[in-house]
Structures are given as structure tokens and as C-alpha cells.
Amino acid sequence: MAILQSGHGGGGRLSSELVGALAERFTSRNLPSPEMEDCALLSANQGITLDGFTVTPRFFPGGSLGKLAVCGSINDLAVRGMRPEHILLGVIAEEGLEREELLEHMGQAAAVCAAEGVTLLGGDTKVVPRGALDGLFLTTCAVGSLALSRVPGMARMQPGDVLFLTGPPGRHGACIAACRYDLEIPGLESDCASLWGLLEPLFALPGFRCARDATRGGVGTVLCEWAEGRHLGLLLEEEALPEDSRVASLGDLLGLEPLYLACEGTAVVAVAPEDAEECLKKLRAHPLGKDAARIGYVTEEHPGTVGLRTSLGGVRVLDMPVGDPLPRIC
Amino acid sequence: MTSLSRAQACLGAIRERQASLKEPVLLMEVCGTHTMAIARHALKQLLPRELSLVSGPGCPVCVTHQRDLEQALALARQKGVLLATYGDMLRVPGYASSLQEEKARGASVRVVTSAMEALELARNNGAQKTVFLGIGFETTAPATAAALLRAREEKISNFFVHSLHKRVPPVLRFLASQKDIPLRGFLLPGHVATILGEAPFAFLGEEYSLASVIAGFEREEILLGIAALLGQILRKEFRVQNVYPQSVRSGGNPEARKLMDEVFRPARALWRGLGELDDSGLVLGEAYEAFDASFLVPPLSEELEEEHVQARNLCRCGDILLGRLAPRECPLFGSSCTPVHPLGPCMVSGEGSCAAAWRYEKTFKGAN
């Protein structure tokens, strides 16, 4: 009998296959299929998102589970042009967790809410027997209001659009992998942050099409979802990709590709060519976007596929990863 | 010169030399890291049409025999055993499951990035027998040896190794002696050569008139290696050439070899698709027998032995590892065997030739 494996939660092909099978239970009853976007529309100008958070270790350079939970929800709203306003927070804790630790996570969650003007509307707290889960899980549901005249989404993407990356890819995933495999890489930090302040200025651009925060599965997965979802081609220039040398060295050590490692404060953005210059200017004006770069474009060629042009002139395909990124042997 | 201009210069030399050769040339790389780098930099697209590069048995996961994998799965299911493995092995499908599935069903399977980490697990889990699955060539074998040495010094009695380590030179000899493969040369594995040095590869030129070059892993280093191989073929001078001197000393790493010699002894080993090859494996020597996990491995069921004899699926791994068949020529490639539902290990590992070809074939030049 088929069973779930951790790779089914990795954000790649296995995840999307599973999500498709789950949604099919609904669509087969003639219920509408949910949009495969970061947040759903509650009404024409309101967005809602639900997310579950678990990470080992729960405190890591650059953030914590508490901070991650709130930033993650805010980012899911922000990429669809929704100003985050309210949040519900669920706590599922394992018997034996230190009370102080839980309070510390709440403190970090509250700090992000305060900075972003998000109010906690309510929550739920459960404590489960030891062994029923690993330490602490947080779930969030956040609601926001549309901050521009139309809802951005991949449906708006057109051939010719320009693609941006707001910072070097893979910092969260690399930081967590370094913790997990006990590798000391000085200065390597998660990019865990709220993207609202970085993205809001872009909403004034008439040519702003869509954005996605590149969480599980990383930038590569988001781009594949866009290419496959719209049956358009995306072409990236390898040399243009921003790089964090610490992520690169971790990638070399463990055989992990930064483009497939999770980000928690880095987004991919698509903008009409006429607004491209202005977009880059606005991104770079924000501290989170200082390394933002124009990384490629959308094309009618090779529909459904993401290509990456190397500096030598070859093109390789950037395929969606299968499951969890696993370190390789040599 | 920048890395890019060095790469361009090497490409120029390759095109020129291939043109002077006026005949098709088949070269083989035998290192998973080379396979990955070649795919990652899309190098095959840039090579002349007459020059083919095939991937040989260089991916440690891919060469692991189905029978050995079944034994590893059986080990993982044993009560009181914690199986420590490199991550690449997790998704390789066995007859009924994979290590990842066993893990999801509750077996104690832990991913480690080194043998020492496995030893650490043993230290911290006195109640369980920690078995390290020793996979890899002469690159990872010294690390396994070092962990065993330490385990003996510290008298850690719950640490065991199931050694599936393999040696590269014997399989190269096997490949070189296959008369039906029109192979002209080997891009030799830089990491393995770091340990072995140049001498163990000398027979390729001396006995088989094959070109051989030890190359590094950056794109310009790989291209330099290919250019050097073509140079040897043009000049008809076949001797090991080291174009990776910054890492590979001609004598290799004697300390690492001493470690291996102390702990292991060469033995016949099973290779997926290639069968049993003399002296091609490394098993624990007499002094380390107490750490050998063999006694923990339950015998395979008759049903599995039968499956093993009949080679259950049509996966053509063996022919692919020998360069007889291109991955896309396998009847399963891309239809029933894909990275999401792999049937053979070459499709599982990121270093596997089928996984690399899957990504490569979907290029804009290809049949997409």
C-alpha cells in the first residue's frame, strides 16, 4: 500500500502530485478546483491563506519557528498584492516542551505582527502526548486586503515579461541544512523576513504581473510551476543570478543546488518589459532587495519548460525537483 | 585568463582536434560528479557532433546491485538496528520498497554525510546496533576506514559497517576489455585519483591503447580533459595525463591508501548490470571482522533470490553503465521510469546517467 514519505512534503513533483490527488476528491464532486497560488481570494479584494509550520531546529541563524510562521503568512498575502491585516495562530505543542521556549516563539511572532501592523484575531492551543509530534507545530491563517486595482497572479504573465529575483536564492534551506548536518559556515543566515515592505512599492507599476515567495522547492520550483501553469517558456541567464557565496559553498559541500533550496524572504517577480527598469530600482531601494537582479524573461518558445543559459552558451533545463533535497555522496 | 575564456579556448581546441581526427570518437566519464557537471553546464550541446561522451559506472548508487540493496532494506527492517546511510540511497527502489519507505514505515534509517557521523550515532545510541552502509569508491572508502579505526581504538562495540565499497581500476579494466564498445578513452575521476594517484590507471594506455586523462570538475577543467584526450588519440600516445595537478599528486594520497589497506581487503563484488568482478570490492579485513555487519544481514527470501535471478524489470542499467546503450534508448526511459517514479538507480541519483539525460534530453534541441 502506498504510504506518505517526507518527500511528499518537499514542495517538488511528489508534493504537487499529492496535492493534485487531494484536490481531485473535491473536483470529482463538481466542486470548483482551488487556484494553485499562494493565497486564495475570499472576495474580489480580500485574500486568505492557511499554512502549517515545522522546522528543525526551531531556532536558527536569522529566525525561529515563531518568526517564520508569521512571515510565511504575510508573504503569501503580499505576493498577491494583499496588505496583511489579521492573523489566527494555532499552536500544537508536544508534552514536555519548555514553556519559556513557546513564549519566545510567540514573542518573535508578535514582533513581526507589530512591525507590519497585523492584528492577532484569535488562535487555538493544543498540547499532545509526548511522541505525537516533534516539539512544536504552528499553523496560521491570515487575511489581507487588495492594495492595487487588480489581483496579481501567474495568469497575468505574458511572453516578453521580465523576471526578477529579489535576492540570492536558497538562504533558508542552506541555513537549515547547515544546522542539520552540523556544518559551520560563518555568516550563513536564513533570509526569513516579511516581504510586504519590499513588494508594496511594486504595486504602483501598471506592468506588475505576479510574484511568488520561493519557499519549499526553491526558486526553481516556482519557475517550473509558472512555466507549466501557463504553458509558457522561461529563460534565465545563469550569470545574472544573484549568489550568496556561503550558500554556494554549502551547496558544493552537500551537492545541493541553491535554486532548489527554500527561501523564506526572497521572491520571484514578473513585470512587463516597460516597467522593468523601474521595478529593479524600487527593489534595490529596499534593504531586502539590495541584491535584486533581472534574471531572465518569459517566452513563447519551449512552452512549459524553464531553461537556463550558461555563460558558455549552452542551455540546460531547470526541472522541478522530485522530493526533499538530499545530500549526495562525493 | 578568466574561467570563461579558458573554457572557450578549450572548446576551440576540442573542435579543432575532432575535425583533424575525421572519425567519430566515443569517450567515457566514470565519475558521478563529472556526469552532473557536464549536464549542469550543458556541455554536450557544445561538443562537435562526431564526439560522444557517455557516462560509465561512476555513480556509487547506480552500481550498487539490486541484491545488495535488498540486503540493506532487510537490515533496515531488523529490530534493534539503526541503519546510517548517505542520502542518495534513500529513494532507490527495491523489489517491494525503498529505504525511504522503510523509514516512513518506522524503520530506523538515518541520513548521514560521513562515516564519522554514523560512528557518532553509535556512540549516542548504545542500545541499538548502528550499521553504516558503506557505499562509494576509493573516495569514501578511506573515510569509512578512518571511522572503523576510531571505533576499534575506542572499543565501540555497537558500530558495524556493511561494506559495499567498490574499486574503480578493476571496473575500468572490465570496460576496456569489452570488444563491442568502441571506446577511445576515459575521462578519469579526479576525486578517486586524488587518493590513488596516476599509476593504477597506467594499464589503460599500456595494455589497451586507450586515452586517459585525470580531470577536475569545473567546466573548463572538464573541457581541458576532453581536449587532452583528443590530443592523445591524435598523437596515438596513450599514457595517463593529469590535468588536475592542483588536487591530484602523481602518487595520490599514500596515507589514505594505507588506511584502506589496513582496514579493507579487495574481494569479488557484484555490480549492477555488470555482474561479479574480481577484486572490485572492498570488504573488512581480518582485524576488523568484529565490525562487519554481515552477520546481521538476514538471508534473502527464495522469492527475492528468484526475482534477482530473473531481473524483475526491463531496466537496462547494465548496458547503460557500460555505454552500450544511451539512457533514452532504454525502453523504460521517460515512460515508466522517470525521476518521480524511478525503476532503476540511474534515474534516482542526481549523478545517475538517466537522471542527467532526463534533464538534458528535455533541452530545446532535443525531442521535447
Side-chain angles (χ1 to χ4, degrees):
Chain A
M1 202 162 77
I3 54 170
L4 296 187
Q5 299 161 23
S6 61
H8 284 105
R13 286 264 175 243
L14 287 173
S15 295
S16 68
E17 213 180 53
L18 177 65
V19 170
L22 298 182
E24 198 270 334
R25 285 289 186 271
F26 288 78
T27 50
S28 65
R29 288 174 180 266
N30 293 324
L31 293 165
S33 168
E35 229 184 336
M36 297 294 171
E37 287 275 11
D38 279 349
C39 86
L41 298 183
L42 201 54
S43 66
N45 54 9
Q46 273 198 307
I48 183 164
T49 175
L50 173 75
D51 220 332
F53 296 87
T54 155
V55 63
T56 310
R58 292 189 291 274
F59 292 97
F60 47 83
S64 65
L65 181 59
K67 179 182 178 189
L68 188 68
V70 175
C71 289
S73 269
I74 288 177
N75 294 346
D76 283 349
L77 292 171
V79 293
R80 298 211 76 194
M82 304 284 172
R83 180 189 300 279
E85 291 167 339
H86 308 293
I87 195 164
L88 297 164
L89 187 59
V91 173
I92 309 178
E94 184 191 16
E95 187 179 37
L97 182 77
E98 284 182 25
R99 191 186 155 87
E100 255 330 286
E101 183 188 334
L102 182 56
L103 292 174
E104 177 60 27
H105 286 295
M106 286 308 110
Q108 296 213 11
V112 183
C113 288
E116 302 290 334
V118 174
T119 49
L120 180 70
L121 279 190
D124 177 58
T125 308
K126 297 270 187 296
V127 178
V128 298
R130 193 181 277 272
L133 59 80
D134 183 13
L136 178 64
F137 285 3
L138 296 179
T139 54
T140 55
C141 173
V143 179
S145 298
L146 193 60
L148 64 172
S149 58
R150 67 210 179 276
V151 183
M154 65 169 145
R156 298 194 180 275
M157 206 168 63
Q158 300 294 327
D161 284 354
V162 178
L163 300 168
F164 293 89
L165 192 57
T166 65
R171 286 169 56 205
H172 180 73
C175 166
I176 297 301
C179 294
R180 239 173 242 178
Y181 296 109
D182 218 5
L183 299 166
E184 192 83 27
I185 300 189
L188 176 64
E189 270 196 7
S190 166
D191 55 347
C192 179
S194 159
L195 285 168
W196 175 253
L198 174 69
L199 295 179
E200 191 196 9
L202 306 187
F203 303 152
L205 300 171
F208 174 72
R209 311 281 202 213
C210 54
R212 281 285 282 277
D213 61 329
T215 54
R216 289 174 316 171
V219 170
T221 300
V222 166
L223 293 168
C224 286
E225 284 174 4
W226 277 0
E228 291 171 18
R230 286 300 317 285
H231 206 61
L232 286 167
L234 307 182
L235 192 66
L236 310 186
E237 300 291 341
E238 188 173 45
E239 272 171 298
L241 290 168
E243 186 185 90
D244 181 321
S245 59
R246 292 156 296 203
V247 176
S249 41
L250 179 111
D252 284 346
L253 274 173
L254 293 180
L256 301 173
E257 165 79 74
L259 281 173
Y260 296 133
L261 292 176
C263 308
E264 289 292 346
T266 301
V268 189
V269 175
V271 170
E274 59 274 18
D275 283 333
E277 217 166 294
E278 195 55 27
C279 176
L280 190 60
K281 213 185 287 173
K282 285 177 187 288
L283 285 172
R284 289 202 173 152
H286 192 279
L288 287 181
K290 64 179 174 25
D291 297 318
R294 183 176 174 147
I295 59 165
Y297 59 89
V298 183
T299 165
E300 282 178 80
E301 307 278 314
H302 52 84
T305 313
V306 182
L308 189 141
R309 188 170 18 231
T310 70
S311 48
L312 263 182
V315 179
R316 79 172 147 114
V317 168
L318 209 59
D319 198 9
M320 197 184 283
V322 173
D324 284 326
L326 290 169
R328 73 189 152 83
I329 291 175
C330 67
Chain B
M1 254 174 125
T2 63
S3 136
L4 179 60
S5 52
R6 274 200 301 270
Q8 281 161 339
C10 292
L11 258 181
I14 289 171
R15 289 181 181 138
E16 212 170 279
R17 288 173 187 182
Q18 179 63 49
S20 326
L21 272 167
K22 299 191 180 68
E23 56 182 354
V25 169
L26 180 69
L27 301 175
M28 180 181 274
E29 92 271 354
V30 280
C31 170
T33 312
H34 275 150
T35 307
M36 292 239 297
I38 288 163
R40 190 169 169 191
H41 298 296
L43 295 184
K44 285 188 184 176
Q45 289 170 30
L46 306 169
L47 299 177
R49 196 175 292 271
E50 297 280 86
L51 174 58
S52 318
L53 207 52
V54 294
S55 308
C59 151
V61 171
C62 308
V63 300
T64 299
H65 197 274
Q66 199 66 28
R67 196 170 188 283
D68 290 331
L69 176 68
E70 294 303 340
Q71 290 190 332
L73 288 163
L75 257 176
R77 285 190 289 261
Q78 292 272 75
K79 289 251 177 309
V81 166
L82 186 155
L83 188 74
T85 174
Y86 291 119
D88 326 33
M89 286 298 290
L90 276 196
R91 294 191 62 236
V92 183
Y95 174 60
S97 71
S98 63
L99 285 174
Q100 181 142 315
E101 275 179 61
E102 294 297 337
K103 182 168 178 275
R105 287 181 207 279
S108 295
V109 177
R110 286 282 289 274
V111 171
V112 292
T113 54
S114 70
M116 280 297 177
E117 202 183 327
L119 182 61
E120 188 64 33
L121 284 175
R123 266 197 211 101
N124 300 334
N125 294 281
Q128 269 179 317
K129 295 185 173 72
T130 298
V131 177
F132 176 64
L133 202 53
I135 302 278
F137 302 106
E138 290 92 338
T139 43
T140 52
T144 306
L148 281 163
L149 205 72
R150 177 81 63 85
R152 198 166 81 141
E153 274 167 20
E154 296 183 18
K155 301 194 170 57
I156 299 177
S157 58
N158 66 325
F159 178 70
F160 301 92
V161 170
H162 185 46
S163 177
L164 301 175
H165 284 298
K166 295 199 169 40
R167 301 174 63 222
V168 170
V171 77
L172 292 187
R173 181 176 288 279
F174 176 77
L175 287 162
S177 57
Q178 299 301 302
K179 298 223 162 47
D180 62 326
I181 310 170
L183 204 58
R184 301 295 299 277
F186 285 107
L187 192 68
L188 294 173
H191 292 140
V192 172
T194 307
I195 308 292
L196 297 186
E198 298 167 10
F201 302 108
F203 72 94
L204 291 170
E206 291 163 5
E207 299 175 37
Y208 296 96
S209 297
L210 286 169
S212 58
V213 173
I214 297 167
F217 301 95
E218 298 297 330
R219 60 184 178 183
E220 65 274 17
E221 293 171 339
I222 293 173
L223 291 171
L224 180 63
I226 296 172
L229 283 169
L230 293 177
Q232 290 188 18
I233 297 169
L234 261 178
R235 295 192 308 273
K236 301 191 171 62
E237 279 175 25
F238 304 110
R239 52 177 176 78
V240 186
Q241 206 176 336
N242 177 8
V243 297
Y244 192 35
Q246 60 274 42
S247 292
V248 177
R249 282 175 290 171
S250 90
N253 182 340
E255 296 79 25
R257 285 204 303 277
K258 198 171 147 239
L259 257 181
M260 279 198 289
D261 291 345
E262 179 172 344
V263 173
F264 296 113
R265 65 179 169 81
R268 264 173 94 79
L270 268 173
W271 293 64
R272 181 184 289 263
L274 313 186
E276 259 189 312
L277 303 183
D278 280 341
D279 292 335
S280 66
L282 291 170
V283 297
L284 271 59
E286 228 167 89
Y288 287 83
E289 269 173 358
F291 296 94
D292 195 329
S294 302
F295 79 97
L296 289 167
V297 181
L300 292 185
S301 65
E302 266 176 43
E303 181 195 21
L304 273 180
E305 287 288 2
E306 183 68 8
E307 282 296 328
H308 153 60
V309 173
Q310 294 188 352
R312 166 176 64 106
N313 64 41
L314 298 166
C315 172
R316 300 284 296 274
C317 274
D319 289 326
I320 289 166
L321 292 176
L322 281 171
R324 277 197 189 112
L325 206 65
R328 71 198 64 168
E329 287 165 352
C330 172
L332 305 179
F333 183 89
S335 51
S336 45
C337 184
T338 65
V340 180
H341 298 290
L343 292 178
C346 303
M347 190 58 101
V348 178
S349 169
E351 301 179 10
S353 42
C354 293
W358 169 267
R359 280 171 294 194
Y360 174 72
E361 194 196 18
K362 283 175 67 189
T363 58
F364 312 118
K365 280 167 76 182
N368 187 34

